[in-house]
Amino acid sequence: MTAVLAIGAAGPGVTLQDGGRHGYLRFGITAAGPMDPLMHATANRAAGNPLDATAIEISTGGITVGSEGGALGIALVAPGFRVALDGAALPGAVALTLEPGQSLAVRAGDAGSWGYLAVLGRLDVAPILGSTATHTRSALGGLDGRGLAAGDRLPVAEGRPGEDAPHSLAAPWLQRDGREIRVVLGPQDDYFAPDQIAAFLAGPWTVSPRGDRMACFLDGTPLTHAKGHDIVSDGVAMGAIQVPGNGLPIVLMADRQSTGGYPKIATVIGPDLGRLAQVRGGAEVRFRSVTVAEAVAARRAERAALGEPVAREPVVRTAFASDFLLGLNLVGGVIDGHA
Amino acid sequence: MSAVPDEPRILDAGEAALVVEFGSTVDPAISDRVLALDDALGADPPDGLRERVPTYRSLMLHYDPLVLDRDALAARVRSLAAAADARAATAILWTLPCCYDAPHGEDIAQVAERTGLSPDAVVSTHAEATYRVYMYGFAPGFAYLGGLPKALAVPRRASPRPPHPRNAVVIGGGLAAVATVPMPTGWYVIGATPARLYAPEREPSFFVGAGDLIRFEPVDAATFDALTAREAAGEPVARRGEAP
């Protein structure tokens, strides 16, 4: 019997993502992939899947899912989100078995912009250009290149139940501080005078609420350019911080274009991309300059952490959170999205 | 033509990408250096090199720093750049059918007005030139082409026009392009090609490489429709030849 993960409701920005579509940047194809690669990999690790397997990326728009055709184990890693199984509150990071007829609701909570839901089994979605990652701007990947919506049914190959009772998941490496983001200066830091580099690093910068999978916009005291703000287009890495004519930095994220024509003052290091992605609009961040060697060491530490098992312990059931239930009743399947 | 430096600048774009910069302008000689290095690395890629992205004036190298050391990659790049000063590969010349007639060449009248050319002269000037594919970017399969005759060098629009159909042949900002995916654009749409430079379900999904040459062969609207049907049936309508 093939289990199906049924989408009861999905807010804007909820998409299928695997490790990303690699090998086609030279043809203008964006990698896409998870906004928080570490958390995505952690959900897959907890589900016993390859770290780059297809999972659902949950935005603050939230999602409601159920299982059809059989009991299905899932691993949800969405710290800071509000989670309930048939109305009973659960931790934001939890492994559980969805029985047919049960409903799991994930809603934005106090913190966090992105969470990940992996199934015990394989979300059976046809890859395109070698990947299931959804890039909505070019209508590529996922389900017809779009975000998930109510009524979608995702077949699960080799789906299997998990433990009988919900278990909370603990991954210490996800306890990250979003207030300080490490960067490597360049590649076009020579387009800025030293005092402007210093101003960039001093900050603080306020994360704008209008960010999305393509970019994180920053508000603060505008920077000035020493050599103009147009360059002949060159390649763009994920995490590149470009400074357009208005002097306000933009961090280019998973859905960025492959090339661009603004000077890039610095690049967020790989291990800090996820922690920046998780920062909510309105919060402040600062940037700290590190060397390439320091960034590689941070990457190595992150890789080692993912080699550790995700600790789990049974959830101690507490009383139902009445305000939470009330909130669920009020929304009645309709989701409050971004902004 | 600007001078091409002997030694490329190697710049870090974080800890997992290098920018190998041969210049700061759009120049065929700089592009040749970029593509020569791209070819050389592609022929014998070091372990851990993930993607190579050629642009007008630089080659971006995405790498896994846990497999490939930054300084080792930089040293490899320097030695290859010094050895490969000219591109060994012969450029491929693609002939793409192009319909400039209504409804495809929807912005030709505007280009005529801005250039002072007649609409027919806009078409013949565009169709007589040979273009060089400098790079892809902006959108899947969006090919930036150099070689647009100066008479057609109109600036890009101040504000974007509504989305164009698939595989639009466009000009703007002194460049030409084939815009595969419908999007709002600041370029002028002067025609359409039935050839699909980008078809994700096809193998290969892309057939035109950076450094290749392109000519546009005018066809009427009825021929365009017939060729579109052939292309959809899996019969490629772009013709491949060798550069003169």
Side-chain angles (χ1 to χ4, degrees):
Chain A
M1 183 160 45
T2 303
V4 168
L5 190 69
I7 309 300
V14 176
T15 57
L16 292 173
Q17 298 294 341
D18 64 6
R21 186 169 287 105
H22 300 295
Y24 298 94
L25 276 175
R26 61 189 289 116
F27 296 113
I29 300 282
T30 296
M35 287 291 282
D36 186 344
L38 184 62
M39 194 176 285
H40 176 271
T42 302
N44 274 322
R45 178 117 178 79
N49 296 337
L51 297 183
D52 60 354
T54 306
I56 297 177
E57 179 174 272
I58 303 168
S59 69
T60 51
I63 192 169
T64 302
V65 297
S67 172
E68 293 175 3
L72 180 64
I74 64 152
L76 173 71
V77 181
F81 281 66
R82 297 180 300 156
V83 179
L85 181 63
D86 286 343
L90 288 172
V94 65
L96 55 84
T97 299
L98 271 179
E99 300 287 347
Q102 287 186 316
S103 176
L104 179 74
V106 184
R107 298 289 182 275
D110 297 333
S113 297
W114 306 99
Y116 295 89
L117 189 159
V119 298
L120 276 62
R122 182 169 54 82
L123 286 170
D124 197 5
V125 180
I128 187 154
L129 296 174
S131 166
T132 62
T134 310
H135 187 247
T136 54
R137 276 183 175 76
S138 57
L140 203 54
L143 289 188
D144 305 322
R146 61 172 171 81
L148 296 181
D152 285 339
R153 300 171 76 255
L154 304 171
V156 181
E158 296 139 46
R160 60 187 187 280
E163 289 138 316
D164 288 341
H167 283 59
S168 68
L169 299 172
W173 56 87
L174 292 179
Q175 287 166 16
R176 299 166 292 176
D177 185 349
R179 286 171 297 184
E180 184 182 85
I181 303 297
R182 291 167 291 182
V183 300
V184 173
L185 289 177
Q188 279 97 30
D189 47 324
D190 61 342
Y191 273 67
F192 302 87
D195 68 318
Q196 293 302 297
I197 302 279
F200 166 72
L201 294 172
W205 298 98
T206 304
V207 173
S208 162
R210 68 191 175 106
D212 60 10
R213 279 185 48 87
M214 189 172 185
C216 168
F217 296 87
L218 300 172
D219 290 323
T221 307
L223 302 173
T224 56
H225 301 78
K227 297 201 272 182
H229 60 260
D230 276 320
I231 61 170
V232 173
S233 284
D234 71 348
V236 174
M238 182 169 173
I241 305 176
Q242 66 178 21
V243 183
N246 70 4
L248 294 176
I250 300 171
V251 190
L252 297 169
M253 301 300 285
D255 281 1
R256 74 197 184 280
Q257 289 165 353
S258 56
T259 59
Y262 291 118
K264 295 166 280 291
I265 191 170
T267 308
V268 176
I269 71 170
D272 285 5
L273 288 169
R275 73 173 77 186
L276 175 64
Q278 294 290 359
V279 175
R280 290 270 192 92
E284 281 187 351
V285 297
R286 285 176 199 272
F287 295 107
R288 180 162 70 85
S289 168
V290 298
T291 64
V292 168
E294 288 170 316
V296 173
R299 243 177 213 254
R300 193 164 280 124
E302 181 179 285
R303 177 72 61 89
L306 275 174
E308 301 290 318
V310 179
R312 53 183 72 212
E313 58 180 58
V315 173
V316 179
R317 290 282 190 168
T318 55
F320 287 10
S322 58
D323 60 330
F324 183 53
L325 286 174
L326 185 63
L328 284 182
N329 289 339
L330 279 173
V331 296
V334 179
I335 312 302
D336 51 329
H338 287 288
Chain B
M1 191 178 289
S2 61
V4 183
D6 293 338
E7 278 269 310
R9 295 171 75 201
I10 297 180
L11 309 169
D12 291 295
E15 80 285 15
L18 287 183
V19 181
V20 186
E21 190 181 273
F22 288 92
S24 56
T25 56
V26 178
D27 180 326
I30 291 172
S31 173
D32 273 340
R33 299 282 307 275
V34 171
L35 296 174
L37 178 64
D38 182 41
D39 286 348
L41 281 166
D44 184 18
D47 284 348
L49 180 59
R50 285 173 162 166
E51 302 211 40
R52 313 183 316 277
V53 186
T55 71
Y56 291 110
R57 59 182 185 112
S58 64
L59 183 67
M60 178 168 262
L61 301 172
H62 294 267
Y63 66 99
D64 179 351
L66 300 187
V67 176
L68 179 56
D69 176 69
R70 184 257 184 226
D71 290 341
L73 176 58
R76 177 82 166 268
V77 162
R78 278 196 200 90
S79 71
L80 286 173
D85 55 354
R87 200 171 185 220
T90 309
I92 296 165
L93 171 65
W94 297 98
T95 302
L96 305 184
C98 179
C99 183
Y100 298 92
D101 299 343
H104 305 291
E106 36 187 302
D107 298 341
I108 284 183
Q110 289 178 43
V111 173
E113 193 179 308
R114 278 160 183 71
T115 58
L117 298 173
S118 69
D120 284 351
V122 170
V123 171
S124 60
T125 305
H126 183 266
E128 280 161 14
T130 299
Y131 301 88
R132 173 195 181 97
V133 180
Y134 275 105
M135 59 180 276
Y136 286 91
F138 181 62
F142 188 103
Y144 288 91
L145 310 178
L148 184 72
K150 285 207 165 49
L152 291 177
V154 287
R156 290 200 200 150
R157 296 164 183 276
S159 58
R161 50 152 279 157
H164 52 73
R166 291 186 183 284
N167 304 313
V169 174
V170 301
I171 62 172
L175 294 167
V178 179
T180 51
V181 179
M183 284 195 183
T185 185
W187 301 58
Y188 292 86
V189 176
I190 63 166
T193 174
R196 293 174 305 160
L197 267 52
Y198 160 61
E201 73 291 349
R202 182 184 63 201
E203 182 57 44
S205 298
F206 305 87
F207 61 87
V208 175
D212 288 358
L213 304 178
I214 286 182
R215 291 187 66 93
F216 295 98
E217 180 179 71
V219 296
D220 61 25
T223 306
F224 175 90
D225 291 343
L227 292 172
T228 298
R230 275 170 54 188
E231 177 85 20
E235 184 188 345
V237 301
R239 297 198 310 279
R240 177 186 169 135
E242 277 199 5

